[in-house]
Amino acid sequence: MASHRAKKRFGQNFLVDDSVIHSLVNAIGPQRDDRILEIGPGLGAMTLPLLARVNQLEVIEIDRDLIARWHARNLEQLTIHECDALRFDFRADVTVDTDARPRRLVGNLPYNISTPLIFHVLEQADAVQDMHFMLQKEVIDRLCASCGDRQYGRLAVMVQSRCQTQKLLEIPAESFSPAPKVTSAFVRLEPLSEPKVPDTIQDLFARLVQQAFAQPRKTIANNLREQLSANALTKLEIDPGSRPQSISIEQLIRITQQLSNTAPD
Ligand code: SAM
């Protein structure tokens, strides 16, 4: 098959280190009957070892040249979705089998869409069993940060209110071709059986979190001055003089519940 030139606009950095690929597939731990969906199979670095371990595999790919290569292989076990993963309906049941078990998502994600893609998936978290994603190490450190850490902020709060996060491995740039300018890492995200934020206040929570971290060096009272008074924060047992970095997810939920109780109907 003709060689493929990596396309920057699709964030193509192909994995080329077999021992890294082996560790990633082992960390995913595929079982024969799993409903695995890979985002961006590229030239197949993870796809082929996964295909060897499962009965069926779905992939989503945006690059028409790569899609043509997959069609040419004519692999019976493979379902190819030719589309943008940011628009994919993960709840849709479009596989050859009709069972509606949650999918396991995997992917060495194009870095330019990784954060919006995670938010897109989280909106459909009930349709997902778990996610194993390769991302920039810096993004994974922010996803997995605990309250009080330097990297703790909106991303950690929004993701951890819906998922358990676990950083699994760091991957050096030389494991890819072309090599990216940054270090990468592999993360496992598992949707919680009970999301921490009730559906009814999810939108309010998202807006509040954005506001709470808008100016990380200012106090929480200052960031939220248009939403509630310093006094109201104290009543919720939150120190109005704290920086947003030290406000836990539970405290942010408490503030949201208070706002929702006092909002005019
Ligand atoms: N999985 C391969 C590997 O590890 O070598 C390729 C990984 S490469 C970093 C990202 C892959 O995602 C490419 O195949 C790229 O064409 C595909 N891609 C980029 N943007 C996409 C999008 N919006 N939707 C679906 N696939 C996309």
Side-chain angles (χ1 to χ4, degrees):
M1 219 177 264
S3 66
H4 173 83
R5 254 184 91 162
K7 294 176 189 147
K8 224 174 174 176
R9 70 178 184 285
F10 292 140
Q12 293 178 352
N13 298 98
F14 299 110
L15 269 167
V16 289
D17 182 326
D18 284 340
S19 71
V20 167
I21 295 166
H22 185 76
S23 314
L24 301 181
V25 174
N26 275 347
I28 297 165
Q31 305 294 308
R32 280 262 150 233
D33 284 337
D34 280 349
R35 253 188 122 193
I36 299 189
L37 185 157
E38 184 185 6
I39 297 169
L43 294 165
M46 300 214 314
T47 324
L48 299 174
L50 283 171
L51 275 168
R53 290 172 64 166
V54 296
N55 294 331
Q56 291 289 332
L57 185 74
E58 292 175 88
V59 295
I60 307 176
E61 179 56 68
I62 201 170
D63 180 342
R64 288 196 183 148
D65 295 338
L66 293 174
I67 292 166
R69 294 167 86 98
W70 284 109
H71 281 307
R73 283 173 178 257
N74 206 12
L75 298 167
E76 223 176 82
Q77 292 163 276
L78 194 68
T79 306
I80 307 165
H81 303 293
E82 311 180 11
C83 65
D84 181 345
L86 287 172
R87 293 169 179 272
F88 191 78
D89 178 358
F90 292 95
R91 288 193 178 113
D93 207 18
V94 282
T95 39
V96 272
D97 63 308
T98 50
D99 84 86
R101 279 174 305 145
R103 289 181 166 105
R104 302 191 67 196
L105 308 189
V106 307
N108 167 16
L109 298 186
Y111 293 149
N112 49 345
I113 64 157
S114 59
T115 314
L117 184 67
I118 288 174
F119 277 89
H120 177 61
V121 175
L122 287 180
E123 280 166 20
Q124 309 172 53
D126 55 306
V128 174
Q129 181 181 327
D130 58 17
M131 298 160 246
H132 287 82
F133 289 150
M134 176 93 72
L135 307 167
Q136 279 174 256
K137 172 187 170 303
E138 179 263 326
V139 174
I140 292 188
D141 288 340
R142 285 198 282 129
L143 280 175
C144 299
S146 304
C147 178
D149 290 351
R150 190 172 46 85
Q151 299 97 330
Y152 177 79
R154 178 173 171 246
L155 192 60
V157 171
M158 293 309 294
V159 172
Q160 292 174 30
S161 62
R162 280 185 265 193
C163 286
Q164 277 198 341
T165 62
Q166 189 184 1
K167 179 176 171 179
L168 299 171
L169 299 159
E170 288 194 7
I171 321 284
E174 312 77 73
S175 308
F176 304 84
S177 173
K181 290 199 179 72
V182 293
T183 304
S184 302
F186 201 51
V187 72
R188 176 182 297 139
L189 307 176
E190 279 179 89
L192 303 169
S193 50
E194 243 346 279
K196 294 187 180 178
V197 183
D199 264 0
T200 47
I201 57 165
Q202 183 60 52
D203 290 349
L204 186 58
F205 179 72
R207 287 199 300 275
L208 177 97
V209 172
Q210 188 161 27
Q211 197 61 47
F213 290 95
Q215 302 196 66
R217 282 170 214 280
K218 300 213 164 155
T219 64
I220 188 71
N222 205 316
N223 276 295
L224 295 181
R225 67 186 179 283
E226 281 171 23
Q227 280 75 22
L228 77 177
S229 67
N231 228 346
L233 284 170
T234 310
K235 278 196 193 141
L236 292 171
E237 294 174 22
I238 297 165
D239 176 359
S242 324
R243 305 265 175 255
Q245 215 167 44
S246 61
I247 306 293
S248 68
I249 297 177
E250 285 64 32
Q251 289 176 313
L252 290 161
I253 295 173
R254 227 185 293 151
I255 301 174
T256 311
Q257 272 159 344
Q258 168 72 15
L259 291 177
S260 124
N261 290 340
T262 53
D265 288 329

